[in-house]
Structure formats: C-alpha cells, structure tokens
Amino acid sequence: PPSPPSRGFSAEDLKMLGLLAGTALALTLPAAGPASAIAPVARAPAAVPARASLSMGAVGADDFVPDMQRRTIMNLVLLGGAGVPVLWLAGGYIYFLVPPGGGGGGAGVTARDALGADVMAAKWIAANPYPGRALVEGLKGDAHYLIVKEDKTLYDFAINAVCTHLGCVVPFNRAQLKYICPCHGSQYDFNGKVIRGPAPLSLALAHVNDVDGKVVLSPWTETDFRTDLAPWWK
C-alpha cells in the first residue's frame, strides 16, 4: 500500500517555535541562575552638606587657629598700643590744668634781664621808674616783676608773673595799676593779690635783696602779708 504522505513544518512554524523557545528561556533563566549572576545595585553616596564641607576645608592641617592664650596676648598688645597715646594726651591735658608752682627753693639767685645779663639795681631803677615795672628772670626761671618805689628804690619783694589759673604770663596794666591776664581775664591788684577770677590764688612772692649792686631773689617762706596766710607756693 502506498505510504502516507509526510507532514513537514513550514517556515512560519519554525519561526514561531523559535520565538516560543526564546521566551521560555528568558522567563526561566533569572530564577534558575546563581545569585552571583545578578549584579548588585550600587547606591549613590549621601550628599555632604555645603556648610560642613566648608567648615572641614577651613580647618585643615596647614591652617593656623590661635589658642586662647595667644588671643589674650594679641588683645593685650592691641590694648597697650591704643592706650599709650591716650595716656600721653591725658597726661598733657592734666598737666596743663594744674596751676604752676611759684617761688623757689634753696639759696637766692641773681636776677637776669632779657639778654641774660645780671640785673644791676641802680641801672634797673633808672630804666624803669615808678609806677612802671618790668620783668626779670628769677627763681626757677620764672618771670618776676621788680617794683620801683616813688623814692627810686626797690620794694623788698618781687611778684611772680605766672598766672595761678593756667600759667599765662600776666602783664602789668600801668593805667589801672593792676595785673590783668590776657588769657582768661584774671586780675590782681598792685601787690599781686587776686581780685578777680578764674585765678584761684594770688601771685607768688619772692624776697629782693641788693647784693654788691646786683638784684638777688630768694624764696619767700613767711606769711603772705596780702592775705595773712601761709604761702601756697611753698
């Protein structure tokens, strides 16, 4: 008898079988494969805050951060540098406000004129008749007035010309016969007694003596005859 005809696979059937086999392999391979075949999922590192990174960068191994002791020393140096000029200015201001000392101490000194020459009594009287008066250099180098009397002799005292307010040299006003300070208006009478402020005290006194024709000034340590008080310039 004739053999039955053989049944073959067409090209479309083969293509379909291939697709089915590939799909089955893809579905069964992950479950059956070893765990090492699956690649681990890498995690991204956590972001570092910007402030923390800046702080860590600011304090590096080569950066200098002074400790408390060094900071204290630096502050003291700055304070001292600023304090020196302030103290210098304050000291000068206080010295300016302190009334200058008058009179003098120790032995007498020969009065000197504006040229530095010794003052001769007779010549001085002739050059500065009453009621005028002129300055000489006396005790402590201060300016002193020699006073000529009407009888053409010298008074036995000289008047320190340094104002007791702020140390200005007080001129003698011949018209008013008194001393008037040009700085702040203090006034003193004919003998140097204060009669108007702001000067707090009278002008200092010094003794006048004629020694071999020269005028010699010496400290006045007795009671002030103008106020009956002890001399403030001692």
Side-chain angles (χ1 to χ4, degrees):
S3 59
S6 63
R7 186 177 179 180
F9 293 96
S10 63
E12 292 182 1
D13 293 336
L14 294 175
K15 186 177 181 180
M16 182 62 66
L17 290 175
L19 289 176
L20 292 176
T23 300
L25 179 64
L27 292 176
T28 58
L29 183 60
S36 60
I38 303 174
V41 178
R43 288 189 176 183
V48 180
R51 182 176 300 178
S53 62
L54 289 177
S55 301
M56 294 299 293
V59 186
D62 297 332
D63 292 334
F64 172 74
V65 179
D67 56 15
M68 185 58 65
Q69 184 177 3
R70 291 180 179 177
R71 290 182 181 179
T72 302
I73 294 175
M74 293 169 63
N75 291 336
L76 291 176
V77 171
L78 292 176
L79 182 61
V84 170
V86 172
L87 292 177
W88 182 80
L89 292 175
Y93 184 76
I94 294 174
Y95 177 80
F96 183 73
L97 293 179
V98 174
V109 297
T110 302
R112 298 181 181 275
D113 60 18
L115 299 177
D118 294 343
V119 174
M120 308 304 295
K123 291 183 178 180
W124 187 265
I125 292 171
N128 301 279
Y130 177 88
R133 55 193 67 183
L135 291 169
V136 297
E137 180 184 327
L139 300 174
K140 293 185 176 180
D142 288 347
H144 286 71
Y145 282 104
L146 297 180
I147 308 171
V148 180
K149 298 180 183 179
E150 294 183 65
D151 61 0
K152 296 183 180 180
T153 60
L154 288 173
Y155 277 92
D156 62 353
F157 65 91
I159 298 176
N160 191 314
V162 178
C163 182
T164 58
H165 179 218
L166 292 180
C168 300
V169 174
V170 183
F172 180 71
N173 189 307
R174 184 168 181 173
Q176 302 184 45
L177 297 179
K178 61 183 177 181
Y179 302 90
I180 302 177
C181 182
C183 297
H184 302 94
S186 299
Q187 296 185 14
Y188 308 85
D189 68 6
F190 186 84
N191 292 325
K193 179 181 179 180
V194 62
I195 56 177
R196 178 178 175 182
L201 301 167
S202 299
L203 298 175
L205 298 174
H207 284 292
V208 174
N209 296 287
D210 187 338
V211 179
D212 298 331
K214 296 180 180 180
V215 177
V216 176
L217 303 183
S218 58
W220 186 290
T221 58
E222 301 83 18
T223 300
D224 186 345
F225 66 89
R226 303 164 301 182
T227 60
D228 293 329
L229 299 174
W232 61 265
W233 55 87
K234 288 181 60 176

